[in-house]
Amino acid sequence: MKPTPADVALIIGLALIIGTLYARYWSPNAAPPTHALIRVDDAPARRVPLHVNDRIVVTGRLGDSVLEVRDGRIRFASSPCRRKVCIRSGWMHDAHDATACLPNRVTLSLAAADPHYDGVSQ
Amino acid sequence: MTRRIHLHAGPRDHWIAGFAALAIVIHILEAGVPTPIPGIKPGLANVITLVVLLRHDLLAAIWVQLLRVLVGSVLIGSFLTPTFLLSLSGALCSLAILALLIGWNRLLPPARVGPIGLGVAAACAHMGGQFFVAYTAFIPHPGLLTLLPVLLTAAMLFGALTGWLAGALCLRLDNSPDAAAPAR
């Protein structure tokens, strides 16, 4: 039982469609992030909306870290650490992007809005 | 006044019922096999539908498929439940695609779609139709869409398997000395 050329064409076509669906629903930036989660030490995360341009100052172990929100993105603008890894990692803009200023014990991650329902049964 | 209506089952009715019974048995056996993700199952009952389609005609395949969905659901106890509606919408979609492809094969015999192509197309249409109904009628949540490519991948693999099985079965039936000429 061998596939005919039309079978092969059909299978390739369907595989392309399925591949597109994987790219659409399984890529990490599928849903744009709506807010950032900022954690200092063991304190609960502070939620910062990304649609409001803002400068946020958080106080960590070494001093104040300044985070800048602009156009749905967020970055470390300044931090009292020595190597400035957090600042060099630049703007965070995809859902589940994350960076941290470890010396100052500040972590930053992006998340999409939590849906209110898992599902609706009728 | 009562009038008696006589229904005569002809030979064609008999063999359609026979194929449908085979498909129903496979359908019920499969319903007892647990699956890792809801919605994924081999769909081996469709081998029967495909064999009927390949050796006989589209109308017979439609009969076998719909009888299988109806009687299968009555016997399993899912008649008129969401499961039944999903199964029925999937069956209707796969029949529609099979009808289209049979039309295609008549128009363009050199570019014929073989049993494997038919199996894959029918399985993907079955999954697509089922998913569409599930998403629009039962669980309209965007999270469900994440499952779609996985379900379609499984449909494609199992569709190729059922198509290959149906094709191999037809070859064997054609070469078998016991096989009578296909009943019409």
Side-chain angles (χ1 to χ4, degrees):
Chain A
M1 196 64 251
K2 278 192 181 150
T4 67
D7 289 352
V8 175
L10 196 99
I11 289 170
I12 291 174
L14 280 169
L16 284 177
I17 293 173
I18 295 172
T20 317
L21 287 172
Y22 272 112
R24 172 78 179 72
Y25 295 114
W26 285 74
S27 57
N29 51 5
T34 53
H35 55 266
L37 297 173
I38 301 165
R39 293 181 182 85
V40 182
D41 250 329
D42 292 332
R46 176 172 162 193
R47 290 165 71 104
V48 175
L50 291 178
H51 61 274
V52 186
N53 292 351
D54 199 4
R55 282 176 83 83
I56 296 140
V57 180
V58 291
T59 309
R61 288 217 182 153
L62 301 179
D64 289 351
S65 289
V66 179
L67 294 129
E68 184 183 2
V69 180
R70 198 197 300 159
D71 308 326
R73 307 173 300 168
I74 187 165
R75 67 166 181 176
F76 275 92
S78 75
S79 204
C81 51
R82 206 145 47 92
R83 295 178 57 201
K84 311 289 183 202
V85 174
C86 53
I87 298 172
R88 284 205 204 109
S89 55
W91 291 102
M92 303 286 115
H93 44 77
D94 284 336
H96 311 303
D97 266 358
T99 186
C101 180
L102 292 183
N104 205 22
R105 301 289 196 275
V106 179
T107 68
L108 169 64
S109 59
L110 301 195
D114 291 329
H116 295 291
Y117 313 106
D118 287 337
V120 177
S121 88
Q122 293 172 328
Chain B
M1 277 290 285
T2 52
R3 247 180 54 204
R4 240 174 230 204
I5 300 170
H6 293 280
L7 293 173
H8 294 289
R12 186 181 155 89
D13 298 320
H14 282 135
W15 64 254
I16 285 180
F19 278 121
L22 262 178
I24 290 162
V25 169
I26 297 173
H27 179 86
I28 289 173
L29 287 178
E30 250 189 20
V33 179
T35 52
I37 298 179
I40 291 183
K41 63 174 197 168
L44 289 175
N46 294 317
V47 173
I48 307 294
T49 313
L50 283 174
V51 167
V52 172
L53 180 72
L54 291 166
R55 282 174 66 80
H56 303 285
D57 52 82
L58 181 65
L59 193 64
I62 293 174
W63 268 111
V64 169
Q65 175 91 307
L66 294 183
L67 278 172
R68 197 256 302 162
V69 170
L70 185 72
V71 181
S73 74
V74 169
L75 290 180
I76 291 173
S78 62
F79 183 55
L80 292 186
T81 63
T83 316
F84 168 75
L85 294 178
L86 293 181
S87 177
L88 181 65
S89 45
L92 290 175
C93 282
S94 69
L95 285 173
I97 282 290
L98 285 176
L100 269 177
L101 290 178
I102 291 300
W104 166 275
N105 283 355
R106 277 204 194 129
L107 284 175
L108 290 165
R112 240 184 105 269
V113 178
I116 295 178
L118 290 175
V120 168
C124 287
H126 196 286
M127 192 58 91
Q130 203 165 290
F131 189 88
F132 178 78
V133 171
Y135 183 65
T136 50
F138 300 122
I139 315 171
H141 186 269
L144 200 64
L145 293 170
T146 317
L147 262 183
L148 182 59
V150 183
L151 292 175
L152 282 175
T153 307
M156 205 159 94
L157 294 176
F158 284 128
L161 175 73
T162 51
W164 176 79
L165 277 172
L169 204 59
C170 282
L171 278 181
R172 265 191 101 128
L173 287 171
D174 289 342
N175 297 331
S176 152
D178 307 328
R184 289 264 166 195

